mmCIF file of all heavy atoms in Angstrom:
data_model
loop_
_atom_site.group_PDB
_atom_site.id
_atom_site.type_symbol
_atom_site.label_atom_id
_atom_site.label_comp_id
_atom_site.label_asym_id
_atom_site.label_seq_id
_atom_site.Cartn_x
_atom_site.Cartn_y
_atom_site.Cartn_z
ATOM 1 N N GLU A 1203 -9.221 26.288 -32.009
ATOM 2 C CA GLU A 1203 -8.000 26.208 -31.010
ATOM 3 C C GLU A 1203 -6.837 26.877 -31.610
ATOM 4 O O GLU A 1203 -6.049 27.506 -30.882
ATOM 5 C CB GLU A 1203 -7.761 24.750 -30.781
ATOM 6 C CG GLU A 1203 -8.733 24.064 -29.751
ATOM 7 C CD GLU A 1203 -8.120 22.928 -29.065
ATOM 8 O OE1 GLU A 1203 -6.980 22.993 -28.503
ATOM 9 O OE2 GLU A 1203 -8.793 21.849 -29.017
ATOM 10 N N ASN A 1249 -4.428 12.790 -34.614
ATOM 11 C CA ASN A 1249 -5.831 13.103 -34.144
ATOM 12 C C ASN A 1249 -6.049 14.575 -33.967
ATOM 13 O O ASN A 1249 -7.195 15.047 -34.053
ATOM 14 C CB ASN A 1249 -6.033 12.332 -32.833
ATOM 15 C CG ASN A 1249 -5.119 12.825 -31.698
ATOM 16 O OD1 ASN A 1249 -4.014 13.214 -31.953
ATOM 17 N ND2 ASN A 1249 -5.572 12.640 -30.480
ATOM 18 N N PHE A 1250 -4.969 15.297 -33.731
ATOM 19 C CA PHE A 1250 -5.127 16.790 -33.700
ATOM 20 C C PHE A 1250 -4.111 17.428 -34.636
ATOM 21 O O PHE A 1250 -3.066 17.893 -34.084
ATOM 22 C CB PHE A 1250 -5.111 17.376 -32.322
ATOM 23 C CG PHE A 1250 -6.326 17.404 -31.593
ATOM 24 C CD1 PHE A 1250 -6.968 16.249 -31.026
ATOM 25 C CD2 PHE A 1250 -7.151 18.581 -31.581
ATOM 26 C CE1 PHE A 1250 -8.141 16.280 -30.472
ATOM 27 C CE2 PHE A 1250 -8.423 18.601 -31.131
ATOM 28 C CZ PHE A 1250 -8.883 17.454 -30.539
ATOM 29 N N VAL A 1254 -2.437 20.809 -31.950
ATOM 30 C CA VAL A 1254 -1.351 20.525 -31.088
ATOM 31 C C VAL A 1254 -0.096 21.261 -31.524
ATOM 32 O O VAL A 1254 0.701 21.773 -30.740
ATOM 33 C CB VAL A 1254 -1.157 19.031 -30.898
ATOM 34 C CG1 VAL A 1254 0.082 18.776 -30.144
ATOM 35 C CG2 VAL A 1254 -2.383 18.482 -30.152
ATOM 36 N N TRP A 1257 -0.370 24.955 -30.655
ATOM 37 C CA TRP A 1257 -0.122 25.448 -29.221
ATOM 38 C C TRP A 1257 1.408 25.559 -28.939
ATOM 39 O O TRP A 1257 1.802 26.546 -28.536
ATOM 40 C CB TRP A 1257 -0.520 24.348 -28.237
ATOM 41 C CG TRP A 1257 -1.995 23.870 -28.281
ATOM 42 C CD1 TRP A 1257 -2.966 24.595 -28.698
ATOM 43 C CD2 TRP A 1257 -2.465 22.659 -27.837
ATOM 44 N NE1 TRP A 1257 -4.146 23.931 -28.603
ATOM 45 C CE2 TRP A 1257 -3.861 22.717 -27.983
ATOM 46 C CE3 TRP A 1257 -1.891 21.553 -27.172
ATOM 47 C CZ2 TRP A 1257 -4.644 21.550 -27.633
ATOM 48 C CZ3 TRP A 1257 -2.686 20.498 -26.773
ATOM 49 C CH2 TRP A 1257 -4.043 20.559 -27.074
ATOM 50 N N THR A 1328 4.033 14.525 -29.166
ATOM 51 C CA THR A 1328 2.621 14.062 -28.906
ATOM 52 C C THR A 1328 2.448 12.805 -29.611
ATOM 53 O O THR A 1328 2.634 12.679 -30.819
ATOM 54 C CB THR A 1328 1.587 15.159 -29.390
ATOM 55 O OG1 THR A 1328 1.756 16.353 -28.739
ATOM 56 C CG2 THR A 1328 0.190 14.628 -29.038
ATOM 57 N N GLU A 1351 3.646 14.847 -24.527
ATOM 58 C CA GLU A 1351 2.168 14.770 -24.280
ATOM 59 C C GLU A 1351 1.878 13.471 -24.870
ATOM 60 O O GLU A 1351 1.637 13.185 -26.065
ATOM 61 C CB GLU A 1351 1.505 15.905 -24.934
ATOM 62 C CG GLU A 1351 0.129 16.166 -24.390
ATOM 63 C CD GLU A 1351 -0.958 15.701 -25.192
ATOM 64 O OE1 GLU A 1351 -1.225 16.224 -26.242
ATOM 65 O OE2 GLU A 1351 -1.522 14.582 -24.729
ATOM 66 N N GLN A 1383 -10.772 9.088 -30.303
ATOM 67 C CA GLN A 1383 -9.353 9.101 -30.774
ATOM 68 C C GLN A 1383 -8.757 10.408 -30.228
ATOM 69 O O GLN A 1383 -7.904 10.982 -30.938
ATOM 70 C CB GLN A 1383 -9.199 8.976 -32.308
ATOM 71 C CG GLN A 1383 -9.683 7.655 -32.871
ATOM 72 C CD GLN A 1383 -9.828 7.635 -34.223
ATOM 73 O OE1 GLN A 1383 -9.229 6.831 -34.957
ATOM 74 N NE2 GLN A 1383 -10.644 8.441 -34.974
ATOM 75 N N ARG A 1384 -9.142 10.842 -29.122
ATOM 76 C CA ARG A 1384 -8.393 12.030 -28.541
ATOM 77 C C ARG A 1384 -7.555 11.402 -27.344
ATOM 78 O O ARG A 1384 -7.940 10.425 -26.700
ATOM 79 C CB ARG A 1384 -9.330 12.962 -27.763
ATOM 80 C CG ARG A 1384 -10.096 13.801 -28.762
ATOM 81 C CD ARG A 1384 -10.840 14.987 -28.072
ATOM 82 N NE ARG A 1384 -11.817 15.603 -28.917
ATOM 83 C CZ ARG A 1384 -12.082 16.911 -28.821
ATOM 84 N NH1 ARG A 1384 -11.494 17.631 -27.854
ATOM 85 N NH2 ARG A 1384 -12.917 17.431 -29.623
ATOM 86 N N CYS A 1385 -6.449 12.094 -27.049
ATOM 87 C CA CYS A 1385 -5.724 11.599 -25.845
ATOM 88 C C CYS A 1385 -6.557 11.905 -24.677
ATOM 89 O O CYS A 1385 -6.316 11.257 -23.571
ATOM 90 C CB CYS A 1385 -4.294 12.336 -25.869
ATOM 91 S SG CYS A 1385 -4.321 14.065 -25.821
ATOM 92 N N THR A 1386 -7.512 12.818 -24.739
ATOM 93 C CA THR A 1386 -8.372 13.128 -23.584
ATOM 94 C C THR A 1386 -9.716 12.427 -23.544
ATOM 95 O O THR A 1386 -10.481 12.705 -22.650
ATOM 96 C CB THR A 1386 -8.602 14.705 -23.571
ATOM 97 O OG1 THR A 1386 -9.198 15.038 -24.878
ATOM 98 C CG2 THR A 1386 -7.533 15.533 -23.204
ATOM 99 N N THR A 1543 -13.925 14.781 -19.804
ATOM 100 C CA THR A 1543 -12.498 14.668 -19.776
ATOM 101 C C THR A 1543 -11.825 15.484 -20.942
ATOM 102 O O THR A 1543 -10.633 15.803 -20.769
ATOM 103 C CB THR A 1543 -11.939 13.297 -19.674
ATOM 104 O OG1 THR A 1543 -12.472 12.622 -20.869
ATOM 105 C CG2 THR A 1543 -12.252 12.612 -18.388
ATOM 106 N N SER A 1544 -12.478 15.643 -22.011
ATOM 107 C CA SER A 1544 -11.926 16.092 -23.257
ATOM 108 C C SER A 1544 -12.287 17.626 -23.408
ATOM 109 O O SER A 1544 -13.085 18.041 -22.630
ATOM 110 C CB SER A 1544 -12.304 15.358 -24.439
ATOM 111 O OG SER A 1544 -13.640 15.546 -24.617
ATOM 112 N N GLY A 1545 -11.652 18.267 -24.430
ATOM 113 C CA GLY A 1545 -12.132 19.611 -24.719
ATOM 114 C C GLY A 1545 -11.618 20.743 -23.976
ATOM 115 O O GLY A 1545 -12.268 21.681 -23.594
ATOM 116 N N ALA A 1546 -10.359 20.575 -23.484
ATOM 117 C CA ALA A 1546 -9.681 21.529 -22.683
ATOM 118 C C ALA A 1546 -9.521 22.921 -23.396
ATOM 119 O O ALA A 1546 -9.376 22.942 -24.613
ATOM 120 C CB ALA A 1546 -8.293 21.032 -22.177
ATOM 121 N N PHE A 1552 -1.795 22.465 -20.500
ATOM 122 C CA PHE A 1552 -2.283 21.198 -21.128
ATOM 123 C C PHE A 1552 -1.182 20.111 -21.040
ATOM 124 O O PHE A 1552 -0.171 20.254 -21.564
ATOM 125 C CB PHE A 1552 -2.798 21.351 -22.433
ATOM 126 C CG PHE A 1552 -3.466 20.115 -23.018
ATOM 127 C CD1 PHE A 1552 -4.764 19.941 -22.794
ATOM 128 C CD2 PHE A 1552 -2.652 19.144 -23.710
ATOM 129 C CE1 PHE A 1552 -5.360 18.766 -23.300
ATOM 130 C CE2 PHE A 1552 -3.253 17.985 -24.196
ATOM 131 C CZ PHE A 1552 -4.582 17.740 -23.878
HETATM 132 C C1 UN1 B 1211 -5.024 15.512 -28.112
HETATM 133 O O1 UN1 B 1211 -5.930 14.585 -28.197
HETATM 134 O O2 UN1 B 1211 -3.820 15.205 -28.310
HETATM 135 O O3 UN1 B 1211 -8.646 18.773 -24.647
HETATM 136 C C2 UN1 B 1211 -5.350 16.863 -27.704
HETATM 137 C C3 UN1 B 1211 -8.961 18.351 -25.724
HETATM 138 C C4 UN1 B 1211 -8.339 19.095 -26.927
HETATM 139 C C5 UN1 B 1211 -6.973 18.648 -27.347
HETATM 140 C C6 UN1 B 1211 -6.731 17.179 -27.317
HETATM 141 N N1 UN1 B 1211 -8.440 20.495 -26.667
HETATM 142 O O4 UN1 B 1211 -9.549 17.364 -25.852
#
Side-chain angles (χ1 to χ4, degrees):
E1203 283 203 46
N1249 64 333
F1250 272 82
V1254 170
W1257 300 341
T1328 299
E1351 201 261 284
Q1383 300 171 115
R1384 286 194 192 211
C1385 57
T1386 49
T1543 54
S1544 65
F1552 185 87

